[in-house]
Amino acid sequence: MRQILAPKVEYRPVKNSQNLPQAFLERTLDMLHDDEHEAFLSACITPLRKSIRVNTLKISVPSFLERVRIKNWILTPIPWCSEGFWIDREEKEREEIPLGKTGDHMMGLFYIQEASSMLPPRALFHRETGIHSVLDVAAAPGSKTTQMAAIMGNRGVIIANELSGSRMKGLYSNIERLGIRNTVLCHSSGEHIGERFFEAFDAILLDAPCTAEGTFRKDRTALQYWSEKKILAAARIQKKLIRSAFEALKPGGTLVYSTCTLSSEENEEVMHSLRETYPEIVEFVPLHALFPKCESALTEDGFLRIWPHLFDSEGFFVAKIRKKIIQKQQRTETHKNEKRFPFTPVPRSRRERVADYYFDHFGFDLSSFGERLWERGNEVWLFPEDFRSLLGRIAFDRIGITICEIHEKGIRSSHEMAQNFGSHFSKNCLSLSSEEAEGYFSAKDIPLKERTGDGEVLLTFDSFPLGFGRIMEGRVKNSLPRAVSRNDIKFQAG
């Protein structure tokens, strides 16, 4: 049985609390007892511990723990996420190699994620079965999308929506790096999502944009422009978003609403507003059994209000509701996307050509992909399960992953193919040293001393796939996409 250890917290004196806005201090004092308010203020001025989530799509938790034990990383379990850990490393290593520049991070073995941020996905799937379709209303940068994909084992389909176009690139980058293939990316206003996807999803996560009061420990500027006026403005948007998300939820489905703020206007009042709007079909689902000792964060309605001092984390709020099944609601008119869908199913003959190539060249059987293979021009794509029911609702930015490109001279594999299925290849794999792996991500070719032949080769480090190269003229020509290349990654064998 996995032992849950309560974090040992030693807070500094509250002498720096004057850095917080006075109105904010007074509001929180009204919400907490005097002794607890002192602990809260002390937590606010204590640096936030680093935390990570093991990506179980690529490595098991026991294997990861053994791998980092050799690196002398100290991991402390996070109570509400079996894949989550607070992490501590030697000071010299922290200074020389930030977590985001380690080879293990680049290979997608873990995701840097604040501990409280791991709560909403866990709440959404807690004691639920039959979740095949999920909507993440505000997905970037992908912390919760990638966590849900891991919980689902890359099965089903997740619509990862993001209003900000500038944040879509980072969202896709994280999805690609972690080897996720059951997502569909779209760029739409969350306020209209209910019209587009009326009662289309088994589960919905709305991690709403907020005033971010709870992030002060990580970002000292979070409260720089704080005001009660901004709280009320944020609450108006949140109420629109949750009504829209609720419209997109199937009867019997569950919705989790979360914020990284502490104000009741942006949290409890948003939930109560939803129940007042739909009194017959909104059911609050208590989260009292989500993790050990969570009762200290439980509200009267069964929501979780995670104060920073309770579990030595960011401030967070999590609420879960279920849409009751009653007499069928009148279906609202959904807007159809008139733009022609640019993909067509891959014909059987081309499917067989692709399947033969991967079986003969890499020893990998993809015949089970079947009708999930679609094409656009010379590109072959693998789409998520059950995506067809969502077609025509909205213009999607990206569906699933690319497998390869088919050319007259042969097949060229995609980087996503390596990230998702490279660990299953049994032939034409070349293991790289630390120096060679760092050179590969610096967009350098790899010299060959003994190997002969030509064609594609999967490059690996410690048996984990890095990407593809092509053997030619005594070297491996680098096939890493330019957007992925980095010259600051440090690899260390596990």
Side-chain angles (χ1 to χ4, degrees), residues 18 79 130 179 424 445:
Q18 62 267 23
H424 301 290
D445 292 346

Side-chain angles (χ1 to χ4, degrees), residues 63-177:
S63 295
F64 184 82
L65 293 178
E66 177 60 24
R67 182 176 180 81
V68 301
R69 183 186 65 80
I70 301 173
K71 302 175 189 287
N72 294 320
W73 292 7
I74 300 175
L75 300 184
T76 303
I78 294 173
W80 48 82
C81 181
S82 59
E83 302 83 33
F85 298 88
W86 284 288
I87 180 171
D88 191 21
R89 299 184 297 155
E90 295 179 357
E91 183 177 357
K92 181 180 179 182
E93 182 183 358
R94 292 200 308 268
E95 293 176 352
E96 294 180 353
I97 313 174
L99 269 178
K101 295 182 180 181
T102 60
D104 284 11
H105 180 267
M106 194 67 187
M107 292 189 294
L109 304 189
F110 69 88
Y111 188 98
I112 302 171
Q113 183 174 354
E114 206 286 310
S116 295
S117 173
M118 303 175 196
L119 272 165
R122 279 295 166 194
L124 187 64
F125 286 84
H126 183 62
R127 295 182 174 177
E128 303 295 336
T129 58
I131 294 180
H132 303 289
S133 57
V134 178
L135 169 65
D136 190 348
V137 180
S143 305
K144 300 170 187 66
T145 299
T146 56
Q147 185 179 351
M148 291 190 293
I151 293 172
M152 297 171 74
N154 258 333
R155 303 297 300 273
V157 60
I158 300 174
I159 301 296
N161 179 68
E162 176 56 44
L163 175 61
S164 172
S166 62
R167 303 185 73 194
M168 289 291 285
K169 182 178 179 181
L171 172 61
Y172 166 67
S173 176
N174 284 322
I175 286 173
E176 179 185 54
R177 181 173 58 83

Side-chain angles (χ1 to χ4, degrees), residues 189-351:
S189 169
E191 295 181 18
H192 301 126
I193 211 89
E195 301 173 10
R196 303 284 185 175
F197 294 102
F198 182 75
E199 295 191 347
F201 298 99
D202 300 319
I204 295 176
L205 176 62
L206 172 56
D207 187 47
C210 64
T211 54
E213 295 171 345
T215 66
F216 180 76
R217 295 180 65 183
K218 179 174 63 178
D219 179 9
R220 294 304 186 189
T221 66
L223 297 177
Q224 185 174 355
Y225 302 105
W226 180 93
S227 70
E228 294 186 346
K229 183 178 180 180
K230 289 186 176 181
I231 289 176
L232 297 177
R236 286 193 292 270
I237 295 173
Q238 291 154 355
K239 290 173 183 178
K240 292 179 182 178
L241 288 174
I242 198 169
R243 285 196 294 268
S244 179
F246 189 72
E247 288 288 328
L249 187 65
K250 290 180 181 179
T254 54
L255 182 153
V256 161
Y257 173 85
S258 62
T259 72
C260 55
T261 196
L262 302 170
S263 67
S264 59
E265 292 93 336
E266 297 181 68
N267 294 320
E268 288 92 342
E269 291 185 21
V270 172
M271 302 306 299
H272 293 154
S273 174
L274 181 69
R275 188 164 63 176
E276 291 171 3
T277 305
Y278 307 96
E280 296 182 349
I281 55 176
V282 170
E283 176 188 1
F284 292 163
V285 180
L287 296 172
H288 61 279
L290 187 59
F291 63 94
K293 299 183 180 180
C294 69
E295 294 82 2
S296 60
L298 209 65
T299 72
E300 293 181 358
D301 296 302
F303 309 145
L304 289 178
R305 174 183 290 279
I306 307 295
W307 290 92
H309 62 283
L310 292 180
F311 304 103
D312 192 18
S313 65
E314 281 190 342
F316 227 83
F317 176 85
V318 184
K320 183 174 182 177
I321 62 173
R322 190 179 309 281
K323 182 183 253 186
K324 295 181 182 179
I325 301 175
I326 59 172
Q327 185 176 357
K328 186 69 176 179
Q329 295 187 82
Q330 182 67 34
R331 184 181 179 88
T332 60
E333 184 66 25
T334 58
H335 297 270
K336 291 292 183 180
N337 175 31
E338 300 298 334
K339 185 177 180 180
R340 185 179 68 86
F341 191 57
F343 295 90
T344 57
V346 177
R348 181 176 179 180
S349 60
R350 286 165 68 84
R351 287 207 312 263

Side-chain angles (χ1 to χ4, degrees), residues 393-408:
R393 308 284 190 109
I394 202 171
F396 295 119
D397 286 52
R398 190 177 187 89
I399 305 176
I401 64 170
T402 54
I403 294 292
C404 63
E405 293 180 358
I406 301 178
H407 301 279
E408 291 184 5

